[in-house]
Amino acid sequence: MSNEPEERYEDSQLYRIRHSAAHVMAQAVLEFYPDTKYTIGPPVENGFYYDFDLPQPITQDDLEKIEKRMRQIIAVGHAFVKKVVSAEEARQVFKDQSFKLELIDGLEKDGLDEYGNPLDEKPEISLYQSDTFTDLCRGPHVETTRQINPSAFKLMSIAGAYWRGDEHNKMLTRIYGTAWSTPDELKQYLKMLEEAKARDHRKLGRELEIYIYDEEVGPGLPLWLPRGGVVIEELEKLAKEMEENAGYLRVRTPHLAKEDLFLHSGHLPYYAESMYPPMEMEGTKYYVKPMNCPMHHKIYGAKPRSYRDLPIRLAEYGTCYRYEKSGELFGLMRVRSMQMNDAHIYVTEDQFEQEFMAVMNMYKKYIDLFGISKYVMRLSLHSKEGLGKKYVDNERLWLKTEDMVRRAMTNGGVPFVEAGNEAAFYGPKIDGQVWSAIGREFSLATNQVDFAQPGRFELTFMNKDGVEETPLCIHRAPLGTHERFIGFLLEHYAGNFPVWLSPEHARLIPITDSQNEYAEQVVAQLRGQGMRVSADLSAQRMNAKIRGAQLMKVPYMLVVGENEANAGQVSLRVRDGSRQDNIPLAEFIARANDRIATRAGEL
Ligand SMILES: [Zn+2]
Ligand SMILES: [Zn+2]
């Protein structure tokens, strides 16, 4: 478990190295293509990029010469020199750089930073110069180019990117690079990328027949194939068990609702950008739901509640629809329809801590069950400046609920890090960041406190003194959405699901046709035990059948020949390569049932 508070990326030397490498790359690109217009080049996770408007297209082969030139620039040891200037001076420097002029206008007039994000106060305009290259930039940078290790960076790829991410703007050329402190770190990172490619959930999702997309159905709307359906069913079964044990009540709500509901909740107009456009029926506008919360609030509010009834925990694997730009859709990670492991818990203030911690304990159980060894719980807080804009304007309640969460986490001994200005609109939240087996980070789960929505919906309960009070609401989704979670699991397990999650527990492999009948008997018997089994009765040779089962990552292969058929036995070949020849069928059943019932990680 590695959940020590870490240094902020923005404050790290690696961030400076990567940002500086972006400048050096831009210099090299400008030397090769002097008519280039350059835009912005920030550090990103694991590296950096720069977006250029190039006078000619470039290819992967061009990256090599750019890289080579970068090494020459680095070797000289040019200093990065900062200079604070007026907007007018900056305009002079960038008089031929239209994008920079636009950025300067933004800095000066709208208080936007160079990436187009609003700044709290009017920014100073600064330039950073190294060798012949000058950028409009807030830094920070390394002292000299020599602090970029020439053997620890690499230009990775070329992609198209719209200026300011807006598809109405010009398409630019983005060059991605990666940079590290040591060549060893670079090597490790490249190795991890190789592994990630092999585990890519889009590749595995197709090969293992988990999900597909269909042109006519539409982008971002996955179709779950039977094997994916099994994984979903198993995850829901798990969630239902956990939630029933914890006193949750299951509800079901429709996929669309009248505009009024979302005006009431405040999703309209604040969240409208992420919603599908409305459809009109009988003179009324309807929207597909982007979240389940408003409907659950209605269920809570459907009858009078007393403090004795609380906590009330309403759970639903609800399907929500959110609009994501087509360019941002990505496999199962960014989709437009999602099935959410959702629940809303209505509590009194006194019950808050215990209930919040019960949710955190549920998280921990899932983390252990899925063998996630690295994770961080992040407490996202409001910012004073965002009150009334990004955040509900009630500082007292913000401070109070943030403190409640902090205290609950500390008392419960759950390690966490704090992040300012990252909260939800209506309250602080805990985000679960998890790392897959190969060390890639995923943001999966949330646990949020809401002190605003219950009030908007006039939700109340009668307290001990017979006075109406507003409950707090906890929004929680430990397993996130099926889409993202299964995408994560595919990578995490490299498609090798534990037995209980496997779409197919076992496959019978008769050596010749003569054992087909016995194989079918065994299938029937195992199905009677609730197992998911099939028999490969094709005309292929045994080895081809085994290969077929291995490709689908079936955990148990049961080979049956004449001896096995006569003795009521099977020869077990396990996905990990181990074997047990000629064992009684009952012995296999006992082993498999144990692994399934205990949701074991081992085979
Ligand atoms: Zn810079
Ligand atoms: Zn919610």
Side-chain angles (χ1 to χ4, degrees):
M1 188 164 102
S2 153
N3 31 22
E4 294 291 300
E6 284 169 23
E7 180 188 35
R8 269 176 16 123
Y9 180 38
E10 293 78 5
D11 300 331
S12 67
Q13 176 70 1
L14 209 46
Y15 185 91
R16 291 163 188 260
I17 288 173
R18 287 168 180 166
H19 188 163
S20 305
H23 280 219
V24 173
M25 176 172 78
Q27 175 180 343
V29 168
L30 281 163
E31 288 176 7
F32 286 115
Y33 313 98
D35 292 333
T36 297
K37 303 274 181 276
Y38 52 110
T39 67
I40 56 166
V44 290
E45 196 191 357
N46 302 318
F48 58 90
Y49 69 78
Y50 214 112
D51 283 351
F52 303 103
D53 185 6
L54 290 161
Q56 66 192 86
I58 59 164
T59 66
Q60 197 71 23
D61 291 340
D62 296 313
L63 296 187
E64 249 169 74
K65 71 176 184 198
I66 297 169
E67 235 180 68
K68 196 169 150 212
R69 177 61 191 138
M70 284 174 71
R71 292 205 171 87
Q72 291 167 349
I73 297 168
I74 287 169
V76 182
H78 301 289
F80 283 89
V81 183
K82 182 180 178 179
K83 194 174 161 196
V84 177
V85 294
S86 69
E88 221 20 70
E89 286 170 285
R91 282 195 188 94
Q92 270 308 307
V93 174
F94 296 108
K95 58 180 186 300
D96 301 324
Q97 290 292 337
S98 50
F99 296 102
K100 294 291 178 192
L101 291 173
E102 206 179 303
L103 292 171
I104 295 163
D105 286 349
L107 282 167
E108 192 191 34
K109 291 185 199 132
D110 311 328
L112 302 176
D113 70 8
E114 64 270 38
Y115 310 128
N117 299 317
L119 288 167
D120 298 330
E121 49 197 71
K122 197 154 186 174
E124 77 174 15
I125 298 177
S126 58
L127 311 177
Y128 267 89
Q129 182 172 5
S130 57
D131 196 17
T132 60
F133 181 73
T134 301
D135 210 347
L136 179 72
C137 167
R138 279 184 299 161
H141 283 281
V142 293
E143 283 144 28
T144 90
T145 52
R146 221 174 267 141
Q147 288 172 6
I148 305 168
N149 188 323
S151 311
F153 83 90
K154 186 174 162 56
L155 299 188
M156 302 295 287
S157 59
I158 302 167
Y162 294 107
W163 168 232
R164 294 195 148 150
D166 184 338
E167 61 211 320
H168 304 295
N169 287 339
K170 184 153 195 187
M171 173 77 91
L172 306 166
T173 303
R174 174 171 297 180
I175 304 179
Y176 279 106
T178 187
W180 299 84
S181 302
T182 65
D184 219 46
E185 281 173 18
L186 172 66
K187 215 171 102 189
Q188 265 180 31
Y189 173 67
L190 296 177
K191 204 177 130 201
M192 192 275 281
L193 282 188
E194 276 299 300
E195 187 59 38
K197 218 161 147 189
R199 291 177 179 235
D200 188 326
H201 78 273
R202 294 166 301 174
K203 175 175 168 285
L204 288 172
R206 188 175 57 244
E207 289 170 1
L208 301 178
E209 298 176 13
I210 301 294
Y211 74 99
I212 54 164
Y213 282 107
D214 182 276
E215 197 64 30
E216 270 189 326
V217 175
L221 303 168
L223 296 176
W224 292 92
L225 303 174
R227 287 174 174 269
V230 169
V231 180
I232 285 184
E233 288 291 333
E234 286 296 341
L235 289 175
E236 288 199 15
K237 205 159 99 188
L238 169 69
K240 281 178 192 169
E241 273 175 37
M242 295 275 271
E243 287 161 9
E244 265 162 29
N245 283 337
Y248 286 68
L249 307 169
R250 300 199 79 75
V251 295
R252 298 232 173 194
T253 60
H255 291 208
L256 68 166
K258 280 162 63 180
E259 179 181 37
D260 300 11
L261 182 71
F262 300 113
L263 287 170
H264 197 166
S265 66
H267 285 99
L268 291 173
Y270 300 110
Y271 199 73
E273 256 186 31
S274 303
M275 291 171 68
Y276 270 78
M279 57 196 112
E280 211 157 312
M281 287 189 298
E282 297 164 350
T284 306
K285 279 185 190 161
Y286 285 78
Y287 284 85
V288 290
K289 63 178 172 182
M291 293 183 190
N292 304 302
C293 338
M295 306 224 188
H296 290 188
H297 297 335
K298 286 290 184 188
I299 291 174
Y300 176 95
K303 68 177 199 182
R305 310 284 184 177
S306 138
Y307 71 94
R308 286 195 196 86
D309 305 328
L310 269 47
I312 289 174
R313 310 174 187 90
L314 302 179
E316 175 179 19
Y317 246 110
T319 304
C320 299
Y321 303 85
R322 294 184 194 163
Y323 173 71
E324 298 269 2
K325 291 187 184 132
S326 352
E328 282 166 18
L329 296 172
F330 178 73
L332 290 175
M333 289 298 155
R334 260 177 189 270
V335 290
R336 288 176 173 170
S337 76
M338 60 210 77
Q339 306 160 75
M340 198 182 300
N341 173 220
D342 214 356
H344 296 92
I345 307 175
Y346 303 88
V347 289
T348 69
E349 244 174 61
D350 292 344
Q351 294 165 338
F352 172 79
E353 183 169 331
Q354 195 188 347
E355 199 58 29
F356 194 81
M357 288 324 292
V359 173
M360 294 313 299
N361 288 337
M362 192 180 276
Y363 276 66
K364 183 75 175 86
K365 281 187 192 159
Y366 286 133
I367 281 169
D368 291 343
L369 177 65
F370 291 103
I372 297 165
S373 52
K374 185 180 175 190
Y375 65 93
V376 168
M377 295 295 165
R378 194 183 64 184
L379 167 57
S380 299
L381 309 167
H382 81 292
S383 75
K384 206 176 162 70
E385 298 73 28
L387 288 174
K389 290 173 240 162
K390 224 175 133 182
Y391 305 117
V392 174
D393 196 5
N394 189 331
E395 193 176 22
R396 189 186 61 82
L397 276 176
W398 274 104
L399 294 173
K400 184 171 156 189
T401 46
E402 284 170 1
D403 200 52
M404 284 165 75
V405 175
R406 201 179 279 124
R407 201 174 50 232
M409 298 289 279
T410 309
N411 290 346
V414 180
F416 63 99
V417 295
E418 297 196 7
N421 199 15
E422 292 279 345
F425 177 63
Y426 43 67
K429 60 174 178 168
I430 297 283
D431 287 313
Q433 309 283 119
V434 300
W435 278 260
S436 75
I438 51 164
R440 282 215 315 159
E441 186 181 350
F442 292 79
S443 186
L444 283 183
T446 58
N447 189 9
Q448 310 181 348
V449 193
D450 178 354
F451 55 77
Q453 290 255 326
R456 285 186 82 107
F457 279 89
E458 290 156 0
L459 305 184
T460 58
F461 65 93
M462 201 63 84
N463 72 14
K464 283 193 181 80
D465 307 321
V467 180
E468 282 198 338
E469 256 186 64
T470 308
L472 286 169
C473 177
I474 299 172
H475 305 239
R476 47 109 277 181
L479 297 178
T481 63
H482 279 321
E483 286 68 22
R484 192 171 274 219
F485 197 67
I486 292 173
F488 164 76
L489 289 181
L490 278 168
E491 169 169 324
H492 183 58
Y493 292 128
N496 293 304
F497 287 113
V499 185
W500 68 276
L501 262 182
S502 287
E504 191 178 343
H505 292 139
R507 188 178 294 187
L508 266 291
I509 298 178
I511 295 176
T512 69
D513 285 355
S514 323
Q515 289 89 45
N516 281 0
E517 204 187 314
Y518 175 62
E520 285 185 295
Q521 279 170 25
V522 175
V523 167
Q525 202 175 335
L526 296 179
R527 282 192 183 146
Q529 296 277 327
M531 287 174 60
R532 297 184 286 269
V533 204
S534 69
D536 187 344
L537 305 181
S538 66
Q540 296 189 83
R541 289 167 175 280
M542 181 184 78
N543 282 341
K545 291 180 184 177
I546 288 177
R547 218 165 24 250
Q550 282 169 338
L551 283 175
M552 295 314 279
K553 304 188 188 274
V554 178
Y556 300 128
M557 288 164 275
L558 304 175
V559 179
V560 291
E562 206 183 328
N563 290 340
E564 287 88 349
N566 290 338
Q569 295 177 332
V570 291
S571 285
L572 170 65
R573 288 174 179 244
V574 185
R575 188 176 59 202
D576 63 10
S578 63
R579 290 171 68 151
Q580 277 184 295
D581 287 336
N582 301 89
I583 55 168
L585 183 58
E587 192 180 321
F588 167 70
I589 291 177
R591 170 178 177 157
N593 276 342
D594 170 70
R595 303 297 188 268
I596 294 167
T598 60
R599 295 194 172 98
E602 69 268 22
L603 293 170

